[in-house]
Amino acid sequence: DIQMTQSPSTLSASVGDRVTITCRASQSISSWLAWYQQKPGKAPKLLIYKASSLESGVPSRFSGSGSGTEFTLTISSLQPDDFATYYCQQYNSYTFGPGTKVDIK
Amino acid sequence: QITLKESGPTLVKPTQTLTLTCTFSGFSLSTSGVGVGWIRQPPGKALEWLALIYWDDDKRYSPSLKSRLTITKDTSKNQVVLTMTNMDPVDTATYYCAHRKLHTNAIDYWGQGTLVTVSS
């Protein structure tokens, strides 16, 4: 099974900060990676697919990069609506990462 | 407009079988490339992918739960059914039904989720 890790598990940041979350796969998954945002009590929302493709309707401050085993999600300027938990998912065999909670510093 | 909605019991007893139904609209599971999956999330914990069924009836299961899961589709009713046998309290979670983004296995549409509690 392909295992996914994310770092950090929690991130405290302020509005306007540049935020980077890292996701690592236990073996190469090419670019088969997605990023989701989830707010409490809500279903996740797709942000990025194929490692770097921005889902329609998602603000351009979100970007993804990486391939193989290491990937990053970057929020260029954190907005109040961005405080949430972020998950990566490899969709070679579908596993989700453990999540990164972004909260207010 | 794509929508998905989960239905099923909110409470099941340990050892019982859970049956959840996903009723969807806005797409057809007979269209090439389409897939519908199930993901769950225990309270306060991370997402866990469970199963996916494709338009051609190909099925994928979580390796750790494969022996307990069955996913089926009824194209005429626009429904996908997930059954999970031998339920345990650790299976308490919100269960989401979801639509596979075409040409990827990312999930672009999610149901609202249904909380299933396993307790005697």
Side-chain angles (χ1 to χ4, degrees), chain A:
Chain A
D1 296 1
I2 300 175
Q3 306 301 319
M4 307 300 291
T5 59
Q6 287 182 235
S7 60
S9 55
T10 305
L11 188 159
S12 296
S14 302
V15 173
D17 284 354
R18 181 181 181 87
V19 167
T20 299
I21 299 169
T22 299
C23 176
R24 291 185 175 87
S26 59
Q27 63 190 74
S28 177
I29 56 170
S30 184
S31 296
W32 302 126
L33 186 100
W35 289 96
Y36 302 87
Q37 176 194 68
Q38 187 180 33
K39 297 181 180 179
K42 300 293 187 182
K45 173 187 175 182
L46 178 63
L47 301 174
I48 302 284
Y49 63 96
K50 214 176 289 184
S52 61
S53 296
L54 191 68
E55 175 68 352
S56 176
V58 174
S60 58
R61 63 180 180 272
F62 291 93
S63 63
S65 64
S67 66
T69 61
E70 187 157 332
F71 303 84
T72 59
L73 172 71
T74 299
I75 309 172
S76 60
S77 178
L78 197 66
Q79 298 302 301
D81 192 47
D82 301 338
F83 292 99
T85 300
Y86 293 84
Y87 294 94
C88 62
Q89 181 207 14
Q90 62 86 8
Y91 49 86
N92 195 355
S93 55
Y94 315 103
T95 320
F96 287 92
T100 295
K101 184 177 180 180
V102 177
D103 62 20
I104 300 172
K105 183 184 285 184

Side-chain angles (χ1 to χ4, degrees), chain A residues 1 32 34 36 38 41-46 48-50 55 87 89 91-99, chain B residues 39 41 45-49 52 54 60-61 63-64 96 101 103-113:
Chain A
D1 296 1
W32 302 126
Y36 302 87
Q38 187 180 33
K42 300 293 187 182
K45 173 187 175 182
L46 178 63
I48 302 284
Y49 63 96
K50 214 176 289 184
E55 175 68 352
Y87 294 94
Q89 181 207 14
Y91 49 86
N92 195 355
S93 55
Y94 315 103
T95 320
F96 287 92
Chain B
I39 297 103
Q41 186 172 37
K45 296 190 177 181
L47 300 165
E48 180 181 21
W49 182 86
L52 184 70
Y54 293 92
R60 297 286 184 267
Y61 294 102
S64 62
Y96 293 101
K101 184 174 177 67
H103 312 302
T104 80
N105 278 325
I107 300 296
D108 57 355
Y109 291 93
W110 298 70
Q112 64 189 23

Side-chain angles (χ1 to χ4, degrees), chain B residues 31-109:
Chain B
T31 301
S32 179
V34 174
V36 173
W38 289 91
I39 297 103
R40 72 178 179 179
Q41 186 172 37
K45 296 190 177 181
L47 300 165
E48 180 181 21
W49 182 86
L50 299 178
L52 184 70
I53 189 165
Y54 293 92
W55 80 100
D56 60 359
D57 210 38
D58 189 16
K59 300 165 187 176
R60 297 286 184 267
Y61 294 102
S62 164
S64 62
L65 293 168
K66 184 175 183 177
S67 64
R68 299 174 54 205
L69 295 174
T70 303
I71 190 169
T72 60
K73 62 182 174 68
D74 186 330
T75 305
S76 65
K77 292 183 179 179
N78 281 353
Q79 290 182 334
V80 170
V81 174
L82 181 76
T83 60
M84 180 180 291
T85 61
N86 195 24
M87 293 292 285
D88 182 272
V90 300
D91 297 313
T92 294
T94 295
Y95 287 74
Y96 293 101
C97 168
H99 173 271
R100 168 190 184 250
K101 184 174 177 67
L102 287 177
H103 312 302
T104 80
N105 278 325
I107 300 296
D108 57 355
Y109 291 93

